[in-house]
């Protein structure tokens, strides 16, 4: 007789492998893992324009392709989501893809047959960075299309009452600064996102400048690029001053597509923090994310492998901790 009852997955019930999906503002990234080994990885940009139906079809097709690379049916799919998603997986807000608001983000996964777990992309990035570095007290800052953050304290993810604690991108660093997409002025995101830094570099250089050209300018120590890098370091250090007092992370990892590419940024931020440190107060080590621009995808893979307990306050470094 066939047992048609839903299966209850455990942390070790991943024999068929797992799939990780990073749903970002400008792209999708997917990874399939079997027996802890990556057997498939693919990144695809979102289509130009705002067609949530086409987006959904693309996501469903990409997930099916990742599943096909596994030796068996996936036990779980872990999803790192850039949009703000409700408890029922309905998209509540997504500045990059506003046509998705009110739609179900789980619908493209319905045919997978797997348990699907959603987490905030930056929170899952913090998970991956903490596990890979052994950091029981860690903050992650992702700089790319937007600016996100995640926190690990005492070996546990800080998810907060609504699952998205640690939103460093919306700490206000300059009340008179540029308007953020959230409606507030001077959020860190409005100052150091890829678009914001490209605009600053354009003004400093006197020529239209992309974020890729900014990275190249920093690598060659161009004066205009150095000014923009200093501007970014000042803003990030301002946010981390607040964070260091409230949470006291032992380390801060800077990642995201642009954050990971600006190699000198962590050192400059560290020097600015040291210059304003209170006597007798220890400061966090600041470095580039060990997963580079792929921390959220790595976190989604961990969520799929370990299950929902990682989002429920479990100790990330003690397998026997309760969910």
């Amino acid at each position: 007789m066939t047992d048609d009852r839903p299966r209850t997955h455990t942390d070790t019930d991943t024999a068929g492998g797992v799939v990780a999906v990073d749903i970002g503002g400008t792209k999708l990234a997917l990874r399939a893992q079997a027996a802890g080994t990556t057997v498939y990885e693919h990144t695809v940009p979102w289509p130009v324009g705002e067609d949530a139906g086409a987006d959904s079809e693309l996501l469903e097709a990409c997930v099916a392709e990742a599943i096909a690379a596994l030796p068996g049916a996936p036990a779980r799919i872990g999803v790192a989501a850039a949009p703000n998603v409700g408890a029922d997986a309905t998209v509540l807000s997504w500045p990059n893809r506003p046509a998705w608001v009110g739609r179900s983000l789980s619908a493209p996964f319905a045919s997978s047959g797997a348990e699907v777990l959603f987490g905030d992309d930056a929170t899952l990035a913090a998970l991956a960075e903490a596990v890979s570095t052994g950091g029981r007290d860690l903050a992650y800052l992702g700089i790319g299309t937007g600016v996100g953050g995640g926190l690990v304290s005492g070996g546990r993810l800080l998810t907060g009452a609504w699952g998205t604690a640690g939103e460093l991108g919306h700490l206000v660093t300059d009340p008179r600064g540029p308007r953020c997409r959230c409606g507030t002025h001077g959020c860190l995101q409005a100052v150091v996102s890829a678009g914001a830094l490209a605009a600053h570099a354009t003004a400093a250089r006197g020529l239209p400048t992309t974020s890729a050209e900014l990275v190249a300018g920093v690598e060659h120590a161009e004066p205009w690029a150095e000014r923009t890098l200093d501007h970014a370091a000042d803003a990030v250090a301002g946010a981390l001053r607040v964070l260091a007092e409230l949470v006291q992370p032992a380390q801060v990892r800077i990642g995201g597509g642009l954050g990971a590419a600006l190699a000198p940024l962590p050192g400059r931020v560290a020097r600015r923090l040291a210059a304003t440190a209170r006597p007798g107060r220890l400061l966090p080590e600041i470095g580039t994310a060990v997963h580079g621009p792929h921390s959220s995808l790595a976190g989604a893979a961990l969520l799929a492998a370990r299950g929902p307990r990682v989002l429920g306050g479990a100790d990330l470094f003690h397998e026997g901790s309760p969910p």
Side-chain angles (χ1 to χ4, degrees):
M1 178 183 292
T2 301
D3 185 354
D4 293 324
R5 291 174 299 177
R7 298 182 65 201
T8 300
H9 298 287
T10 65
D11 286 347
T12 58
D13 188 16
T14 57
V18 298
V19 170
V21 183
D22 179 16
I23 301 178
T26 59
K27 61 178 174 54
L28 286 170
L30 301 98
R31 178 181 295 170
Q33 293 182 337
T37 300
T38 297
V39 296
Y40 172 90
E41 189 157 324
H42 184 56
T43 299
V44 58
W46 284 119
V48 176
E50 295 182 14
D51 186 338
D55 290 351
S56 184
E57 291 175 3
L58 174 63
L59 176 54
E60 184 173 2
C62 288
V63 170
E65 186 175 301
I67 290 174
L70 293 172
R76 296 191 196 95
I77 299 175
V79 183
N84 183 19
V85 179
D88 61 352
T90 297
V91 175
L92 303 178
S93 65
W94 194 357
N96 292 95
R97 315 293 289 182
W100 270 89
V101 174
R103 293 179 66 103
S104 171
L105 198 60
S106 64
F109 298 92
S111 62
S112 69
E115 179 185 24
V116 182
L117 302 176
F118 289 87
D120 176 74
D121 58 348
T123 299
L124 292 180
L127 163 66
E129 292 296 314
V131 169
S132 295
T133 64
R136 296 184 63 85
D137 294 277
L138 176 145
Y140 170 81
L141 177 67
I143 302 175
T145 306
V147 175
L151 301 173
V152 173
S153 182
R156 291 172 167 81
L157 280 174
L158 294 183
T159 55
W162 299 285
T164 56
E167 284 284 12
L168 305 184
H170 294 289
L171 289 180
V172 175
T173 59
D174 180 6
R176 293 186 293 274
R179 186 177 179 85
C180 181
R181 289 179 300 185
C182 75
T184 302
H185 284 271
C187 289
L188 184 63
Q189 176 169 278
V191 179
V192 302
S193 66
L197 290 182
H200 188 280
T202 293
R205 186 185 183 192
L207 293 171
T209 302
T210 65
S211 56
E213 290 171 328
L214 170 61
V215 171
V218 168
E219 291 174 350
H220 292 91
E222 297 284 354
W224 58 267
E226 292 286 306
R227 291 196 293 275
T228 296
L229 188 65
D230 286 338
H231 165 76
D234 286 338
V236 172
L240 294 186
R241 285 188 195 99
V242 175
L243 187 69
E245 295 292 346
L246 292 177
V247 186
Q248 294 186 355
Q251 57 176 309
V252 176
R253 294 288 167 179
I254 300 177
L258 181 57
L262 294 173
L265 181 60
R268 298 206 184 187
V269 172
R271 288 194 290 275
R272 281 158 172 77
L273 271 181
T276 59
R278 289 198 290 129
R281 299 287 285 187
L282 297 177
L283 293 174
E285 170 200 346
I286 302 175
T288 300
V290 297
H291 291 282
H294 306 299
S295 300
S296 294
L297 184 62
L302 280 170
L303 175 62
R306 294 191 177 192
R309 69 181 198 85
V310 297
L311 297 179
D315 189 328
L316 305 178
F317 304 96
H318 181 50
E319 288 298 322
S321 61

